[in-house]
Amino acid sequence: MTCTHTLTVRLTPTPAQATARTLVAAACTQRLVVLAAALVLGACSVLQPNLPPEEPIKPVPVPTVAKLPSVGLALGGGAARGFAHVGVLQVLDEAGIQLDLLAGTSAGSVVAVLYASGLSGAALEQAALGLNETTLADWMMPWGNRGMLRGAALAKYVNEQVKGTLLQAMPKPVGVLATQLNSGNPVLFQRGDAGEAVRASSAVPGVFMPVPIGGQEYVDGGLVAPVPVSFVKQMGAQLVIGVDISSAPSATPANDTLGLMLQTFSIMGQRLNGFELVGADVVVRPNLQHIGSANFAARKQAIAAGRTAMLAALPLLRRAIQTKTTWVPAN
């Protein structure tokens, strides 16, 4: 009888082998997880629609408008040389430069008030050429008086030209600079009788009688500011054009009382202008060397000199306006 015995041998793995098997199993499991995740993600990418990329949100532009600076004109004193102011205003009109306000001293106050009342540069020239200076000369005996001219004729002429309009009722804001006699303080008239204010601003001491207004006496505004630049700024101008028609002191000694006074005013005016004109954005100086303060016969030449000087200053003025222009949201 043959007996068959089956021998079953069970091998127990060593600890090293067990660890290896565990690591292999873990690696296989990790691979299966990664493979499954890849399959899921691939399926998602296949199932998602092919959407276009989102466009960035663009800001909505806000409409803006240009805000021009307020432009002020300061017209200086200089008697008959003041006709040059007419030429300056003509060029500004022709160039389309809008003036928002004006101020003037002495002869400059005459032109400033007439222009503020609504007269154009062309109309001012007609008035200037038609002016008979003898109508402004209301002489009086100098003995026992404080001047040779009353100045009432000048006030009458101005009020006739502006048709009696008060300063505060002018189409354009305007200031007239005078000097308070008892204190020496500058006073800028912006209300009241236009003719009387101009008369006070033009009352050269020794030539015109001091002008009584409101219980005070006033004389020429050139004593404090021959070109009233700072006062135009006080009125609200953001850009100031200063027109200087003063004359340099004469090298010829003065031979009479009037000549001595004019020479004194020239010396004083040159000093004061150095302080005032530094505040102007654009300074216009007409070439008036050949025209004296009392030369009313040269009014055409003075107007032409004003035109020439303003034409030369136009590029600078346009740049100054552009620099001070701001852009604000449209309403």
Side-chain angles (χ1 to χ4, degrees), residues 79-81 83 128 131 133 136 291-300:
R81 298 156 69 94
F83 289 111
L131 174 66
E133 60 270 22
L136 305 180
I291 300 175
S293 298
N295 189 359
F296 283 86
R299 62 192 74 179
K300 285 186 177 181

Side-chain angles (χ1 to χ4, degrees), residues 269-322:
Q270 291 290 307
R271 292 290 183 180
L272 291 174
N273 274 342
F275 295 102
E276 279 292 314
L277 291 173
V278 71
D281 297 276
V282 177
V283 177
V284 181
R285 288 189 174 93
N287 182 5
L288 301 168
Q289 294 179 357
H290 57 292
I291 300 175
S293 298
N295 189 359
F296 283 86
R299 62 192 74 179
K300 285 186 177 181
Q301 294 93 315
I303 293 172
R307 288 186 61 89
T308 300
M310 190 64 247
L311 282 169
L314 268 182
L316 177 60
L317 175 58
R318 293 189 191 279
R319 286 195 297 271
I321 293 174
Q322 184 177 14

Side-chain angles (χ1 to χ4, degrees), residues 182-198:
N182 68 338
S183 67
N185 292 328
V187 175
L188 188 70
F189 289 102
Q190 294 180 264
R191 302 182 63 84
D193 188 292
E196 285 301 302
V198 169

Side-chain angles (χ1 to χ4, degrees), residues 14 36 42 54 60 88 97 103 114 116 118 132 138 140 146 150 175 251 282:
T14 64
E54 293 185 2
V60 178
V88 169
I97 305 296
L114 266 57
N132 183 352
D138 46 1
M140 58 188 304
R146 293 182 292 172
R150 292 185 179 88
V282 177

Side-chain angles (χ1 to χ4, degrees), residues 249-265:
S250 174
T252 304
N255 296 322
D256 53 26
T257 302
L258 180 59
L260 179 61
M261 286 191 299
L262 292 176
Q263 177 78 342
T264 303
F265 266 83

Side-chain angles (χ1 to χ4, degrees), residues 6 53 70 89 92 120 165-166 170 187 204 222 242 275-276 280 286 305 329:
T6 303
S70 58
L89 285 165
L92 291 173
S120 65
T165 305
L166 299 177
M170 297 285 178
V187 175
V204 179
F275 295 102
E276 279 292 314

